Amino acid sequence: MSFDRSIKIAPSILASDFANFGAEIEAVEAQGADWIHVDVMDGHFVPNITFGPETCKAIRPHIKGVMDVHLMIAPVDPYIEAFAASGADIITAHAEAGPHIHRTLQAIRGAGAKAGLALNPGTPVEAVDYLLDMVDLICVMTVNPGFGGQKFIQSQIAKVEALRAKVGDRPIHIEIDGGVTPVTAPLVAAAGADVLVAGSAVFGGGSVADPAPYGENIRAIRDAATAAQS
């Protein structure tokens, strides 16, 4: 994975047709998706249950680009090896999910994946201060984690701006997860984000049989964000 700050669209398969994961991934990549975002939830750290490492392993052959695995689970450490072995390019853990996030980030890199750090809406940006040299990506949650389709939390824009200042010239992606649309994408792109996770805003209106809307949705988000970024 080479690093650049161009806008990357990462559709969340949480919003896709669960009976057609492979075909949905291939369709959305063909329509312009840069990364594939996999939301892993345990019903404990967040109030929902989704996928495990076996699902990631099953969909990996269908993904040509980056598999971006977001672990909304606690504890995290016992599962890092399994998700790395499933083919995850990036594994993101939450700062709030355990007492030793530094160790968790070390373990992710040790397993051969890029290390991501996620911050919940109520977590201050200062949580990253002693971790910046441990991470390849910081994910700012712009909704409370656990469910798709929630409303974007405006206060997180200031967090993105502060985070971008802290990152400086380091090769760290700033990812936004939650409520991304062509309306909110330029707000976070202007603040310094470069990876935009979108679920219903990408998959809405399309299907494997009619994937063209996926491309239209991706282009609308990317165009709005890129214009704001420049």
Side-chain angles (χ1 to χ4, degrees):
M1 287 173 55
S2 60
F3 182 85
D4 69 78
R5 294 201 184 280
S6 65
I7 294 295
K8 286 159 283 293
I9 309 299
S12 167
I13 63 168
L14 190 63
S16 71
D17 177 0
F18 281 22
N20 274 310
F21 274 151
E24 286 275 51
I25 287 164
E26 290 171 9
V28 82
E29 280 194 329
Q31 291 294 326
D34 301 291
W35 296 6
I36 297 297
H37 189 81
V38 185
D39 288 303
V40 177
M41 307 182 192
D42 64 357
H44 168 71
F45 180 65
V46 293
N48 199 0
I49 297 173
T50 58
F51 323 116
E54 287 301 311
T55 302
C56 292
K57 183 178 179 181
I59 65 175
R60 176 72 254 195
H62 299 275
I63 300 173
K64 292 179 182 174
V66 171
M67 182 159 77
D68 176 30
V69 177
H70 179 189
L71 300 182
M72 288 170 269
I73 66 175
V76 177
D77 294 9
Y79 302 97
I80 290 169
E81 288 287 345
F83 280 103
S86 77
D89 295 295
I90 304 167
I91 297 175
T92 297
H94 271 256
E96 312 85 6
H100 305 297
I101 187 63
H102 188 284
R103 180 186 296 162
T104 299
L105 296 169
Q106 281 182 318
I108 292 170
R109 283 186 165 179
K114 298 282 189 182
L117 173 67
L119 303 178
N120 280 339
T123 300
V125 71
E126 288 77 17
V128 309
D129 282 355
Y130 297 99
L131 301 169
L132 286 170
D133 294 324
M134 301 292 303
V135 297
D136 303 289
L137 175 148
I138 300 172
C139 175
V140 177
M141 296 300 300
T142 45
V143 298
N144 284 296
F147 293 96
Q150 297 183 69
K151 187 175 164 70
F152 181 88
I153 300 173
Q154 294 281 337
S155 64
Q156 301 307 293
I157 297 168
K159 185 187 288 184
V160 176
E161 291 174 344
L163 187 58
R164 182 70 192 86
K166 288 177 182 291
V167 165
D169 293 332
R170 295 176 179 87
I172 299 173
H173 293 292
I174 299 177
E175 180 176 76
I176 303 300
D177 188 352
V180 170
T181 69
V183 174
T184 58
L187 304 177
V188 291
D194 62 288
V195 181
L196 306 180
V197 176
S200 51
V202 166
F203 286 100
S207 66
V208 168
D210 179 25
Y214 296 167
E216 294 165 8
N217 294 338
I218 289 169
R219 283 189 295 276
I221 296 168
R222 190 193 308 280
D223 290 349
T226 300
Q229 190 183 51
S230 55

